[in-house]
Protein backbone atom coordinates (compact mmCIF):
# COMPACT_ATOMS: atom_id res chain seq x y z
CA UNK A 1 0.00 0.00 0.00
CA UNK A 2 2.84 2.41 0.75
CA UNK A 3 4.04 2.24 -2.87
CA UNK A 4 0.59 3.06 -4.21
CA UNK A 5 0.25 6.00 -1.80
CA UNK A 6 3.63 7.41 -2.91
CA UNK A 7 2.70 6.86 -6.55
CA UNK A 8 -0.56 8.78 -6.15
CA UNK A 9 1.19 11.59 -4.25
CA UNK A 10 3.70 11.92 -7.07
CA UNK A 11 1.02 11.81 -9.77
CA UNK A 12 -0.86 14.74 -8.18
CA UNK A 13 1.96 17.04 -9.31
CA UNK A 14 2.23 15.86 -12.91
CA UNK A 15 0.80 17.62 -15.96
CA UNK A 16 -1.61 15.74 -18.21
CA UNK A 17 1.19 15.26 -20.77
CA UNK A 18 3.45 13.80 -18.09
CA UNK A 19 0.65 11.52 -16.91
CA UNK A 20 0.06 10.30 -20.50
CA UNK A 21 3.76 9.62 -21.01
CA UNK A 22 3.98 7.86 -17.66
CA UNK A 23 1.05 5.56 -18.51
CA UNK A 24 3.02 4.47 -21.60
CA UNK A 25 6.14 3.78 -19.49
CA UNK A 26 4.85 1.77 -16.53
CA UNK A 27 8.24 0.78 -15.16
CA UNK A 28 8.78 3.81 -12.89
CA UNK A 29 11.04 3.27 -9.89
CA UNK A 30 10.68 6.76 -8.41
CA UNK A 31 9.35 10.19 -9.29
CA UNK A 32 12.12 10.84 -11.82
CA UNK A 33 13.68 7.50 -12.82
CA UNK A 34 12.29 4.47 -14.66
CA UNK A 35 13.80 1.06 -15.32
CA UNK A 36 13.90 1.52 -19.09
CA UNK A 37 16.52 4.25 -18.92
CA UNK A 38 18.87 1.88 -17.05
CA UNK A 39 18.40 -0.83 -19.68
CA UNK A 40 18.52 1.18 -22.92
CA UNK A 41 21.82 1.24 -24.80
CA UNK A 42 22.32 2.38 -28.38
CA UNK A 43 25.18 -0.12 -28.69
CA UNK A 44 22.96 -2.95 -27.44
CA UNK A 45 20.25 -2.01 -29.95
CA UNK A 46 22.78 -1.74 -32.78
CA UNK A 47 24.28 -5.14 -31.94
CA UNK A 48 20.94 -6.82 -31.24
CA UNK A 49 21.79 -7.58 -27.61
CA UNK A 50 19.20 -8.32 -24.94
CA UNK A 51 20.28 -6.00 -22.15
CA UNK A 52 17.46 -6.96 -19.77
CA UNK A 53 18.82 -7.16 -16.24
CA UNK A 54 18.18 -10.30 -14.20
CA UNK A 55 16.00 -9.93 -11.05
CA UNK A 56 18.97 -9.34 -8.70
CA UNK A 57 20.30 -6.54 -10.93
CA UNK A 58 16.80 -5.02 -11.09
CA UNK A 59 16.75 -5.07 -7.29
CA UNK A 60 20.15 -3.31 -7.25
CA UNK A 61 18.90 -0.67 -9.73
CA UNK A 62 15.88 0.06 -7.53
CA UNK A 63 18.16 0.32 -4.51
CA UNK A 64 20.48 2.71 -6.39
CA UNK A 65 17.57 4.92 -7.40
CA UNK A 66 15.74 4.98 -4.08
CA UNK A 67 18.76 5.37 -1.80
CA UNK A 68 21.12 7.48 -3.91
CA UNK A 69 19.95 8.93 -7.22
CA UNK A 70 16.52 10.26 -6.25
CA UNK A 71 17.69 11.72 -2.90
CA UNK A 72 20.75 13.25 -4.61
CA UNK A 73 18.59 14.80 -7.32
CA UNK A 74 16.44 16.41 -4.65
CA UNK A 75 19.43 17.52 -2.53
CA UNK A 76 21.34 18.94 -5.51
CA UNK A 77 18.22 20.72 -6.78
CA UNK A 78 18.92 19.94 -10.44
CA UNK A 79 16.33 22.06 -12.27
CA UNK A 80 16.91 20.25 -15.56
CA UNK A 81 17.16 16.80 -14.01
CA UNK A 82 19.69 14.01 -13.94
CA UNK A 83 20.00 11.80 -17.01
CA UNK A 84 21.32 8.26 -17.33
CA UNK A 85 23.85 7.78 -20.11
CA UNK A 86 24.73 4.23 -19.03
CA UNK A 87 23.02 2.00 -16.49
CA UNK A 88 22.87 -1.77 -16.43
CA UNK A 89 25.16 -3.63 -18.86
CA UNK A 90 25.07 -7.30 -19.76
CA UNK A 91 28.54 -8.87 -20.04
CA UNK A 92 28.76 -8.56 -23.82
CA UNK A 93 27.65 -4.92 -23.78
CA UNK A 94 30.12 -4.11 -21.01
CA UNK A 95 32.90 -5.63 -23.10
CA UNK A 96 31.83 -3.74 -26.25
CA UNK A 97 31.82 -0.35 -24.49
CA UNK A 98 35.19 -0.95 -22.83
CA UNK A 99 33.91 -1.46 -19.29
CA UNK A 100 36.16 -3.08 -16.70
CA UNK A 101 35.61 -6.80 -16.05
CA UNK A 102 34.26 -6.25 -12.52
CA UNK A 103 32.14 -3.18 -13.36
CA UNK A 104 29.28 -2.45 -11.01
CA UNK A 105 27.19 -1.77 -14.14
CA UNK A 106 27.08 -5.58 -14.55
CA UNK A 107 25.27 -5.87 -11.21
CA UNK A 108 22.92 -2.90 -11.67
CA UNK A 109 24.77 -1.05 -8.91
CA UNK A 110 26.04 1.84 -11.05
CA UNK A 111 24.89 4.54 -13.41
CA UNK A 112 26.68 7.21 -15.40
CA UNK A 113 24.84 10.50 -14.96
CA UNK A 114 24.95 13.82 -16.74
CA UNK A 115 23.10 17.03 -16.03
CA UNK A 116 22.43 20.29 -17.80
CA UNK A 117 22.82 23.77 -16.41
CA UNK A 118 24.63 24.51 -13.19
CA UNK A 119 23.83 21.37 -11.20
CA UNK A 120 26.97 20.31 -9.37
CA UNK A 121 26.39 16.68 -8.45
CA UNK A 122 29.80 15.84 -7.01
CA UNK A 123 29.77 18.83 -4.65
CA UNK A 124 26.20 18.06 -3.62
CA UNK A 125 27.05 14.39 -3.01
CA UNK A 126 30.04 15.31 -0.85
CA UNK A 127 27.94 17.78 1.18
CA UNK A 128 25.04 15.38 1.64
CA UNK A 129 25.10 12.47 4.04
CA UNK A 130 24.07 10.04 1.34
CA UNK A 131 25.79 6.69 1.27
CA UNK A 132 27.57 5.68 -1.96
CA UNK A 133 30.29 3.33 -3.08
CA UNK A 134 32.00 5.31 -5.83
CA UNK A 135 31.67 8.71 -7.42
CA UNK A 136 33.96 9.06 -10.42
CA UNK A 137 33.84 12.43 -12.13
CA UNK A 138 34.99 12.42 -15.76
CA UNK A 139 35.72 16.12 -16.34
CA UNK A 140 36.45 15.98 -20.07
CA UNK A 141 33.46 13.79 -20.85
CA UNK A 142 31.11 15.71 -18.55
CA UNK A 143 29.52 12.89 -16.57
CA UNK A 144 29.73 11.28 -13.16
CA UNK A 145 29.71 7.56 -12.43
CA UNK A 146 27.73 6.85 -9.25
CA UNK A 147 27.46 3.49 -7.54
CA UNK A 148 25.88 1.99 -4.46
CA UNK A 149 26.38 -1.62 -3.40
CA UNK A 150 23.27 -3.68 -2.81
CA UNK A 151 25.09 -5.63 -0.10
CA UNK A 152 28.36 -5.06 1.69
CA UNK A 153 30.15 -1.94 2.84
CA UNK A 154 30.24 1.10 0.55
CA UNK A 155 33.63 2.79 0.21
CA UNK A 156 32.51 6.42 -0.27
CA UNK A 157 35.35 6.71 -2.80
CA UNK A 158 35.64 9.90 -4.86
CA UNK A 159 37.83 9.88 -7.98
CA UNK A 160 38.33 12.74 -10.45
CA UNK A 161 39.63 11.83 -13.91
Amino acid sequence: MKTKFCQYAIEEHLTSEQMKWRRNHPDWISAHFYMGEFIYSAVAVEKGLDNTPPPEAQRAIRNLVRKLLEPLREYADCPMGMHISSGYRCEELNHLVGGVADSQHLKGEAADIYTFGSCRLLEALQQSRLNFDQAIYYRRRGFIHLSLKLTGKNRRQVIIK
Side-chain angles (χ1 to χ4, degrees):
M1 293 300 281
K2 184 178 179 182
T3 304
K4 284 197 179 263
F5 173 76
C6 292
Q7 179 180 349
Y8 295 136
I10 290 164
E11 288 177 353
E12 287 177 10
H13 303 287
L14 299 177
T15 67
S16 61
E17 282 296 310
Q18 290 169 322
M19 288 290 291
K20 180 180 176 185
W21 193 88
R22 191 175 184 131
R23 278 191 298 274
N24 292 329
H25 297 84
D27 57 349
W28 283 91
I29 301 169
S30 70
H32 300 99
F33 297 96
Y34 64 99
M35 187 64 73
E37 65 189 318
F38 288 86
I39 298 170
Y40 175 79
S41 164
V43 174
V45 171
E46 178 184 314
K47 299 293 184 181
L49 300 177
D50 179 3
N51 196 45
T52 304
E56 188 69 7
Q58 289 184 32
R59 210 171 116 226
I61 291 167
R62 287 184 179 88
N63 181 66
L64 176 67
V65 168
R66 291 179 180 145
K67 293 183 178 174
L68 180 58
L69 301 184
E70 189 68 41
L72 179 59
R73 186 185 190 282
E74 184 177 329
Y75 184 87
D77 191 28
C78 297
M80 300 180 82
M82 291 168 48
H83 307 278
I84 310 296
S85 60
S86 182
Y88 172 77
R89 297 179 195 151
C90 65
E91 285 188 38
E92 190 173 351
L93 176 61
N94 190 60
H95 176 74
L96 287 170
V97 299
V100 296
D102 62 346
S103 173
Q104 286 179 285
H105 288 276
L106 294 163
K107 299 177 187 178
E109 295 179 340
D112 297 338
I113 308 286
Y114 65 94
T115 63
F116 296 108
S118 61
C119 185
R120 300 171 80 82
L121 285 181
L122 186 58
E123 289 176 23
L125 180 63
Q126 290 175 311
Q127 291 169 1
S128 76
R129 294 186 174 199
L130 294 170
N131 194 20
F132 66 96
D133 187 52
Q134 282 189 318
I136 306 172
Y137 177 49
Y138 293 85
R139 286 183 290 203
R140 288 187 185 165
R141 294 161 78 191
F143 72 90
I144 185 170
H145 165 96
L146 296 172
S147 67
L148 178 69
K149 291 182 179 180
L150 183 59
T151 59
K153 186 176 180 179
N154 287 291
R155 298 171 283 181
R156 299 185 59 83
Q157 183 180 52
V158 175
I159 299 169
I160 299 174
K161 292 189 172 192

